[in-house]
Amino acid sequence: MVRVYSLAILYKGVNSATTLKAAYDLQSFSFFQRTSVQEFMSFVSKTMVERTQPASRQSVKEGEYMVQVYVRADNLAGILISDHEYPNRVAHTLITKLLDEFSAKVPVDTWATANETTVDFPVLPQYLAKYQNPREADALTKIQNDLDETKIILHDTIKAVLERGEKLDDLVAKSDDLSMHSKAFYKTARKTNSCCNF
């Protein structure tokens, strides 16, 4: 099962990174492990932000986890920790949305001095819950998956026709769905244009 464990927003200072807000989904860990896992994820998040240049993105494997990080040019950073199955593009789409929303709500001049207790950004747990299923959470991913499935179906259909030895000319001639004008257009285009040759 695809899972996002952590979403965090940090500020990359001169010497260190500060967590401004974080949300965790640690239900898959035992009760006694959760505190340690959360601390580890917080540590990894800060370390990754400190080692990522401004205006750049990174994806890093760490054991069974995938860490996606984006540090904007203004030093606002987002981290998503997930399993290896979570799509990178969706992770980075989510981080970008989060940082845009955060910067619209929380004034820039407070980032350098803020921390988790002073920042008011209550939507982070909602994003964490919503993006557990990347297909439902990201409309672009859902559309892309639909297009990919359609593309596969179309390729399979053309391949199946060619394997049976049928020619497109014969299919067009037999078709009741095409008007006489469409059939005539196809024949004319075949004679004058190589675009209709398969």
Side-chain angles (χ1 to χ4, degrees):
M1 180 179 164
V2 178
R3 181 167 296 280
V4 177
Y5 300 105
S6 171
L7 272 177
I9 298 171
L10 297 91
Y11 180 74
K12 180 182 169 94
V14 177
N15 297 319
S16 65
T18 305
T19 302
L20 301 178
K21 216 58 174 172
Y24 301 92
D25 180 355
L26 305 175
Q27 300 299 319
S28 59
F29 299 97
S30 78
F31 177 78
F32 299 106
Q33 293 177 320
R34 291 178 188 167
T35 302
S36 298
V37 170
Q38 183 173 328
E39 288 173 3
F40 172 76
M41 289 183 181
S42 177
F43 169 77
V44 167
S45 296
K46 288 180 182 180
T47 304
M48 288 302 305
V49 168
E50 290 166 2
R51 286 165 177 67
T52 302
Q53 294 298 315
S56 63
R57 298 177 187 270
Q58 289 192 71
S59 298
V60 179
K61 288 182 180 179
E62 178 57 41
E64 60 199 49
Y65 305 103
M66 194 71 181
V67 181
Q68 314 284 354
V69 59
Y70 172 40
V71 179
R72 296 190 335 181
D74 60 7
N75 289 325
L76 189 64
I79 292 271
L80 184 144
I81 300 175
S82 66
D83 60 15
H84 291 283
E85 303 299 314
Y86 202 82
N88 291 347
R89 193 188 66 72
V90 177
H92 284 288
T93 300
L94 171 56
I95 292 168
T96 302
K97 282 182 183 181
L98 266 176
L99 296 180
D100 289 347
E101 192 170 324
F102 183 88
S103 61
K105 186 164 177 13
V106 180
V108 177
D109 57 348
T110 64
W111 297 350
T113 58
N115 61 43
E116 282 190 80
T117 57
T118 61
V119 172
D120 181 32
F121 191 67
V123 299
L124 202 55
Q126 296 166 9
Y127 271 99
L128 184 62
K130 178 180 178 184
Y131 274 76
Q132 286 299 327
N133 182 347
R135 293 181 134 193
E136 293 302 318
D138 184 29
L140 294 175
T141 302
K142 192 172 184 182
I143 291 168
Q144 185 61 46
N145 286 343
D146 291 345
L147 290 175
D148 290 344
E149 289 172 12
T150 303
K151 189 186 293 182
I152 291 168
I153 290 167
L154 288 174
H155 286 307
D156 287 344
T157 302
I158 291 170
K159 188 175 179 182
V161 168
L162 295 176
E163 285 175 356
R164 286 195 309 250
E166 292 182 349
K167 294 182 180 177
L168 191 57
D169 291 343
D170 297 337
L171 292 175
V172 169
K174 292 178 193 175
S175 175
D176 294 331
D177 294 332
L178 293 173
S179 68
M180 293 306 286
H181 294 292
S182 295
K183 290 178 183 180
F185 175 77
Y186 172 79
K187 287 180 184 178
T188 305
R190 282 275 292 175
K191 289 179 186 173
T192 60
N193 218 340
S194 63
C195 75
C196 296
N197 290 329
F198 286 91

